Amino acid sequence: MVFISKPTLNQLNNPKLPSMVDHLGIEYTAIGEDSLEATMPVDHRTIQPYGLLHGGASVALAETLGSVASSLTLDLEKQICVGLEINANHLKSVREGKVKGIAKPVHLGKSTQVWEIKIYNEADQLCCISRITMAILDKK
């Protein structure tokens, strides 16, 4: 188990403050031993002008999953995590339905973490692969 805290899906899906996660319709669906999963609809909020899932929406899903997963590995009384770098390769277009993202750790160091996020369509085809590097900072 890489997570120090393991909130319920209800807790993750009902944050105290509104955010882009709400706007994009991102919903957490599973917390594993070393993974965090969420879905995002492909609709008017997440498509680009050609009717395809917007690459930026995929990156927003990836950053959300990587950041939240990283935060679950920390004692948030003592540390926080912030994104340093994110990249994404968009492999297959999506026009409708939902996509599912799954974040898994690649590296869990004392000062940095690297998470890989794979995004799949409803046919379980890989649509996007992303990697985020998180900085781990001590609270002041």
Side-chain angles (χ1 to χ4, degrees), residues 9-94:
L9 292 175
N10 189 46
Q11 289 169 319
L12 287 177
N13 286 316
N14 293 293
K16 294 176 183 165
L17 298 172
S19 69
M20 181 168 36
V21 172
D22 305 316
H23 178 72
L24 295 178
I26 294 171
E27 182 179 351
Y28 298 96
T29 55
I31 304 171
E33 294 294 312
D34 70 343
S35 64
L36 182 62
E37 297 181 21
T39 60
M40 182 177 67
V42 179
D43 64 17
H44 67 280
R45 298 169 290 180
T46 59
I47 60 171
Q48 41 93 310
Y50 298 121
L52 304 173
L53 178 62
H54 194 292
S58 294
V59 172
L61 174 60
E63 181 144 1
T64 297
L65 281 166
S67 296
V68 171
S70 178
S71 73
L72 296 178
T73 70
L74 305 176
D75 177 348
L76 295 177
E77 298 288 324
K78 298 177 182 175
Q79 294 179 308
I80 61 169
C81 56
V82 295
L84 282 178
E85 190 270 342
I86 189 166
N87 66 56
N89 295 100
H90 307 289
L91 307 172
K92 186 170 190 62
S93 62
V94 183

Side-chain angles (χ1 to χ4, degrees), residues 1-6 31-35 72-73 108:
M1 167 69 86
V2 299
F3 300 129
I4 289 175
S5 65
K6 194 168 179 183
I31 304 171
E33 294 294 312
D34 70 343
S35 64
L72 296 178
T73 70
L108 298 175

